[in-house]
Amino acid sequence: MTEIDAKTDALVPAWLNLPDVAEKLGVEVTRVRQLVKEAQLIAVRRGENRVLMVPADFIGEGRIVKGLVGTITLLKDDGFSDEEMLEWLFTADDSLPGTPAQALRENRGTEVKRRAQALAV
């Protein structure tokens, strides 16, 4: 698990700890840890206590936001670190508009994946 810098931390509007993610998904915390291990979610260590946290925007109505897992896979394949992925997902892109994370929440995953694929070129 990565520890992120203040700049990247400030890009993410809200965070959830793993027990909160588990509650929102209706699963055990061990399952959330597995999702992180399988790169279906990004979790980073934050704050003085270095608690593992997940961006709240990654969790929708009882599930992981549609398109997120595929986007993470594309970015990982492009060699992005967890911190670089968060920075990309939460940095505004005027052509979207908004951030890739917002676009995923608004079910505009195709556009987000297209941009993620273009990064590999």
Side-chain angles (χ1 to χ4, degrees):
M1 302 312 122
T2 317
E3 192 165 338
I4 61 170
D5 67 24
K7 178 182 156 238
T8 305
D9 189 59
L11 290 173
V12 180
W15 295 90
L16 296 169
N17 62 30
L18 297 193
D20 288 343
V21 173
E23 185 178 319
K24 288 188 177 294
L25 295 177
V27 299
E28 298 292 325
V29 174
T30 52
R31 178 66 185 135
V32 175
R33 289 186 185 283
Q34 189 65 32
L35 291 169
V36 171
K37 191 175 178 183
E38 294 169 354
Q40 293 186 43
L41 279 176
I42 301 169
V44 293
R45 297 203 176 275
R46 295 184 64 241
E48 290 177 22
N49 298 335
R50 298 180 27 100
V51 175
L52 270 179
M53 306 283 277
V54 172
D57 284 349
F58 289 176
I59 309 302
E61 298 295 316
R63 63 185 176 85
I64 296 171
V65 170
K66 183 180 176 192
L68 178 66
V69 175
T71 302
I72 290 172
T73 300
L74 286 169
L75 294 173
K76 267 207 181 309
D77 289 351
D78 290 345
F80 277 57
S81 68
D82 287 352
E83 185 168 347
E84 290 166 333
M85 284 190 273
L86 288 174
E87 191 172 327
W88 186 81
L89 284 162
F90 287 96
T91 298
D93 180 339
D94 292 339
S95 67
L96 267 173
T99 67
Q102 285 171 317
L104 288 172
R105 286 189 70 79
E106 295 166 4
N107 206 18
R108 294 186 287 138
T110 305
E111 278 303 305
V112 174
K113 286 185 196 157
R114 190 173 296 136
R115 282 167 177 73
Q117 285 173 322
L119 297 172
V121 176

